[in-house]
Amino acid sequence: KAITRMTDAKKVTQDKAKKESVPKTEVKQVKDAGKQNEKTAQPIRLYVKGVFVGYKRSVANQHQNQALIKIEGVQSREDVPFYLGKRVAYIYKAKTKKLGSRYRVIWGRIQRHHGQNGLVRVVFRKNLPAQAMTATVR
């Protein structure tokens, strides 16, 4: 009886393992999905989008040297430390070509959080123009 109980216990654990394992059809679907991404050859985006929402300010004063940026996917103050020190690019299109391109960039660096909702303060090399408000930054 002891031997049959041991084999029964092994059978029960093997049955549980079979139920918990992923069916083979699902594995094939995942492999096929990877092949589709390889065929389309979409470039991978290596930056996170953000929006320039305004300048650091009080009721009476506005400090244009510190821009407030809302980073996509950052919802709280606890999410900000990863981004501290990272660079931010504001890309805009100019009328005249310089160095063969009409696109220009103003670079900045994330300094600290601003409030509790995931806004960050960014100091740009040149202050962002007011017309850039609500524009996308990278």
Side-chain angles (χ1 to χ4, degrees):
K1 287 185 178 180
I3 294 171
T4 56
R5 284 185 187 167
M6 292 288 279
T7 55
D8 290 342
K10 286 182 182 177
K11 287 180 184 176
V12 169
T13 55
Q14 288 174 352
D15 291 341
K16 284 184 181 178
K18 286 181 183 177
K19 288 179 184 176
E20 293 174 359
S21 67
V22 178
K24 291 180 182 178
T25 55
E26 289 183 28
V27 173
K28 287 182 181 177
Q29 290 174 353
V30 170
K31 287 180 182 177
D32 292 340
K35 288 179 183 175
Q36 289 174 353
N37 288 342
E38 291 172 8
K39 288 180 184 176
T40 56
Q42 291 291 327
I44 298 171
R45 186 175 53 150
L46 297 176
Y47 61 88
V48 179
K49 291 182 180 181
V51 177
F52 172 44
V53 294
Y55 300 109
K56 177 190 168 197
R57 61 171 299 149
S58 64
V59 175
N61 299 321
Q62 176 173 286
H63 305 280
Q64 286 99 340
N65 64 330
Q66 293 187 22
L68 302 179
I69 306 290
K70 177 67 178 164
I71 301 172
E72 195 175 80
V74 177
Q75 302 299 327
S76 68
R77 187 176 181 171
E78 287 74 33
D79 299 338
V80 172
F82 171 79
Y83 295 99
L84 294 179
K86 301 278 192 299
R87 292 174 62 175
V88 180
Y90 168 64
I91 300 172
Y92 62 99
K93 195 172 183 181
K95 187 175 182 180
T96 59
K97 280 189 175 183
K98 282 193 178 179
L99 301 174
S101 176
R102 289 175 55 186
Y103 292 98
R104 314 257 171 89
V105 180
I106 301 175
W107 287 98
R109 199 170 290 274
I110 297 175
Q111 301 295 318
R112 57 171 291 172
H113 64 85
H114 181 83
Q116 303 293 324
N117 291 331
L119 282 176
V120 293
R121 291 187 204 167
V122 179
V123 174
F124 285 88
R125 289 183 184 164
K126 287 188 172 182
N127 298 342
L128 289 185
Q131 69 190 29
M133 282 192 203
T134 71
T136 303
V137 295
R138 298 177 178 191

